[in-house]
Amino acid sequence: MKKMTIMMVVAVVLVATVLVGCKYIRGQILDGPGMERDSTDIDSTAILAQEEMTGLIKELYAAAAKNEGDIDLLYACQVWRKMVAAVEEKDSHVAEIGFFNDDYWTQMQDSNPDDLEARDIRFEQLDVEKGTATVSFILHSSIQTVHQKFEFCHEDGNWRVHNIIRYFNGPDGKEEESNLLEAMRSYLDEPLEEAQELTFSNMAGIYDDEKQESRFCLNEDGTATWGMIGSLNYTEYTYTINGNTICLKPKGVESEDDCYEYDENTRTLKNEQGAVYYRQVVE
């Protein structure tokens, strides 16, 4: 009887040791201190999340390949959309090219090719409970192939893109990251440069029409000439500047002023009739 008691005690101790050592309690696995999860639930939930995000990436680029709009609204989280809206609002006050000079989803400057395809999709991080994930992939097309990464958020019951991380080769040939969300925040923190005031001095120059058939020459003294390129004949003008509007008046002739709006982004003069003159860069 004593032997049986001792053996039972040893058996109980061994079982308890095994259970504690395996961190197994009532069919649940302890992931960490104070955290209990059902292993089956963990696996199935993670798989479903991965399937949803993989499908989202493929669907997003199928829409981009067709150059469809509203990609941000359909696939991005609110933080991303609000940040982009703030950047675009700031860009509206900037004379030169703004923050984005390409499609941030595809890195294309022109229309997207119809063979865009996300390949080699890999999950680097996934936390279903916190609703975060990091997924890298290769964006392939007949024009270019780039390496990108999405950071996801779980919002309103759906996985959405929270951030885009690009990869590029640095000066030493090594791959480096460009975090677009952080870059947008830094851009918005920068003070907005005031638009340059137009003066006779900084507007003086040569302006050719789209077909390079006719030419305006604005001079620093407030005078101007217009003529056909290659011709010795020309018309003389005086001009005034009011904000971004430049109005030319022919000398010695009674006629209405010919007014043009100057666009600093495109370096063009355009009148109400649609005539456009491009400022020429003199080297």
Side-chain angles (χ1 to χ4, degrees):
M1 188 69 177
K2 288 183 179 180
K3 290 181 180 180
M4 181 63 70
T5 303
I6 292 173
M7 290 178 66
M8 290 176 64
V9 171
V10 171
V12 170
V13 172
L14 287 173
V15 171
T17 302
V18 171
L19 293 180
V20 173
C22 291
K23 297 183 179 179
Y24 185 88
I25 298 177
R26 295 180 183 176
Q28 295 177 326
I29 298 175
L30 288 178
D31 241 8
M35 295 179 62
E36 296 184 8
R37 297 182 183 179
D38 183 274
S39 58
T40 304
D41 290 343
I42 293 171
D43 292 343
S44 61
T45 303
I47 291 172
L48 288 173
Q50 290 180 0
E51 289 177 349
E52 182 179 344
M53 282 179 273
T54 299
L56 184 149
I57 294 172
K58 291 183 177 294
E59 186 179 316
L60 186 157
Y61 284 110
K66 297 177 182 177
N67 291 288
E68 295 179 357
D70 294 332
I71 288 181
D72 285 49
L73 182 62
L74 293 173
Y75 303 105
C77 69
Q78 293 183 32
V79 170
W80 176 268
R81 297 200 304 270
K82 289 179 180 179
M83 193 70 69
V84 169
V87 167
E88 290 177 343
E89 198 281 330
K90 182 174 182 178
D91 283 349
S92 66
H93 304 287
V94 176
E96 299 178 356
I97 297 174
F99 181 83
F100 292 113
N101 61 358
D102 60 14
D103 183 333
Y104 43 77
W105 293 107
T106 65
Q107 299 190 39
M108 298 285 181
Q109 291 187 328
D110 299 317
S111 61
N112 297 318
D114 59 8
D115 60 349
L116 279 172
E117 181 184 4
R119 299 178 177 178
D120 196 21
I121 299 174
R122 299 187 179 186
F123 284 78
E124 297 183 359
Q125 178 269 331
L126 173 60
D127 191 320
V128 177
E129 288 189 354
K130 292 183 179 180
T132 62
T134 304
V135 185
S136 68
F137 58 92
I138 302 297
L139 183 59
H140 174 80
S141 74
S142 56
I143 296 178
Q144 65 182 17
T145 298
V146 295
H147 183 193
Q148 293 197 150
K149 184 188 294 185
F150 282 167
E151 290 179 351
F152 280 90
C153 65
H154 197 258
E155 185 175 88
D156 299 329
N158 297 297
W159 289 97
R160 292 288 181 264
V161 179
H162 175 74
N163 186 20
I164 301 174
I165 296 175
R166 293 177 171 179
Y167 289 89
F168 62 94
N169 291 327
D172 56 359
K174 294 182 179 179
E175 194 173 56
E176 298 182 10
E177 289 187 359
S178 173
N179 187 311
L180 292 190
L181 200 60
E182 290 182 0
M184 283 193 285
R185 287 195 180 103
S186 298
Y187 175 69
L188 292 173
D189 288 339
E190 295 173 0
L192 183 65
E193 295 182 4
E194 294 185 4
Q196 186 181 29
E197 181 182 1
L198 303 189
T199 64
F200 291 149
S201 177
N202 62 36
M203 290 306 297
I206 298 171
Y207 299 80
D208 291 353
D209 72 347
E210 294 177 277
K211 297 181 179 179
Q212 291 191 315
E213 295 176 344
S214 61
R215 169 175 292 170
F216 272 116
C217 293
L218 302 184
N219 304 315
E220 291 189 21
D221 61 359
T223 63
T225 59
W226 177 89
M228 302 301 293
I229 296 176
S231 173
L232 297 178
N233 299 318
Y234 57 86
T235 304
E236 294 184 316
Y237 294 83
T238 58
Y239 70 97
T240 58
I241 300 175
N242 184 13
N244 287 339
T245 304
I246 295 177
C247 292
L248 296 101
K249 185 178 185 62
K251 286 185 176 180
V253 179
E254 289 296 329
S255 66
E256 295 183 357
D257 292 354
D258 188 12
C259 295
Y260 293 78
E261 289 296 320
Y262 182 68
D263 187 330
E264 293 187 25
N265 293 318
T266 58
R267 297 169 62 87
T268 57
L269 290 171
K270 183 177 181 180
N271 66 8
E272 293 182 354
Q273 290 72 41
V276 180
Y277 285 79
Y278 291 82
R279 187 169 188 172
Q280 304 302 300
V281 177
V282 180
E283 298 181 355

